[in-house]
Amino acid sequence: MGTVETLKSAGVRAGDEVVVPAYGNAEVARAVVELGAVPVFADLEGDSYCLDPAAVSDVVTSQTAAVVAIHRFGRRADVGWIREVGQRHGLLVLTQEEPGADPAGAELRRAHASYLDARLSGVRTPTPAVGHTYEQYVVRVPGNGRPDRDAFARTLRAKGVPCKVPVQAPVYRMPGLRRDVFLPQTERAVDETLALPVHEGMSRRDLQKMVSACNALGGLLQPAF
């Protein structure tokens, strides 16, 4: 069942507000708009990149009907706390996997992630969590945000290390979804995050090469104050 059908079957109607993530998954906000409802963006929790329950609580109004929480990069959203917020305000809470999530190969991806966690020093590695399947291994690049992150990524690619920026812009800046909001944790994540490969086809040599390239670069970048 698609997001529109799920929301409709859950009782969301035109004019209702639905709290949605601002970091990635624009299709969720578009589904809300398609229903004639109003997407309301909440900030993320900095370690998980999923909705922050406190931020959800901050944006709830008398018009809010539902919250849509997305599990991000293979890490589970804090659904327990989000449901508690939902119960407090009488909201429906829906949870979804990210499109393309693939549990196959999770153990090998976890092994790759563990190897990288122990050896990467030039970036901030993902915060470990029970059940994390590392659909993407997302690090933060220190320095001055987007310019340093983008330069870091270009240099890694030049060294033969494939990497990608997982989220290019907050959803509230996308055409048809623009809102006059500023969510600091979302903005920071968009500017700093970089996804490094941990897919099943990678060899130990591939991982070693990536560690060497990242650690050589990391010492050149210092956090901005």
Side-chain angles (χ1 to χ4, degrees):
M1 185 181 294
T3 302
V4 172
E5 291 77 13
T6 300
L7 291 168
K8 186 181 295 185
S9 66
V12 175
R13 300 291 180 259
D16 287 344
E17 292 180 355
V18 180
V19 181
V20 298
Y23 182 75
N25 301 107
E27 68 277 0
V28 174
R30 291 194 178 101
V32 173
V33 171
E34 186 177 333
L35 265 180
V38 180
V40 176
F41 299 102
D43 213 349
L44 57 78
E45 193 281 315
D47 288 333
S48 69
Y49 304 106
C50 302
L51 280 177
D52 181 350
V56 171
S57 187
D58 286 344
V59 299
V60 168
T61 73
S62 60
Q63 301 302 310
T64 308
V67 180
V68 182
I70 309 294
H71 304 305
R72 182 78 65 212
F73 306 141
R75 177 164 170 163
R76 313 299 290 178
D78 193 347
V79 177
W81 277 107
I82 293 172
R83 283 191 175 136
E84 184 172 307
V85 171
Q87 289 171 357
R88 191 185 318 146
H89 296 282
L91 310 177
L92 176 71
V93 176
L94 304 175
T95 61
Q96 292 186 5
E97 298 287 347
E98 280 192 297
D102 180 15
E107 286 306 314
L108 186 51
R109 290 196 301 271
R110 286 190 186 105
H112 290 342
S114 179
Y115 180 91
L116 295 174
D117 287 347
R119 291 164 177 80
L120 283 172
S121 61
V123 294
R124 178 183 156 195
T125 56
T127 303
V130 175
H132 201 325
T133 60
Y134 294 95
E135 300 287 344
Q136 297 189 63
Y137 185 87
V138 176
V139 302
R140 292 198 185 222
V141 177
N144 292 299
R146 188 183 297 261
D148 282 341
R149 188 273 314 280
D150 289 351
F152 193 98
R154 284 194 299 271
T155 305
L156 284 187
R157 293 181 192 121
K159 293 176 177 290
V161 177
C163 57
K164 67 177 182 178
V165 175
V167 176
Q168 296 285 344
V171 180
Y172 52 77
R173 287 193 190 154
M174 295 182 178
L177 297 170
R178 295 185 185 279
R179 297 289 187 278
D180 186 20
V181 297
F182 180 91
L183 303 179
Q185 291 297 332
T186 295
E187 297 278 346
R188 186 175 176 188
V190 165
D191 286 350
E192 294 180 350
T193 50
L194 189 66
L196 302 179
V198 288
H199 58 79
E200 299 91 308
M202 294 189 71
S203 67
R204 182 56 57 90
R205 180 168 295 191
D206 293 330
L207 294 170
Q208 290 170 341
K209 176 181 177 181
M210 184 160 60
V211 168
S212 295
C214 286
N215 289 357
L217 283 171
L220 303 177
L221 301 175
Q222 297 298 324
F225 295 99

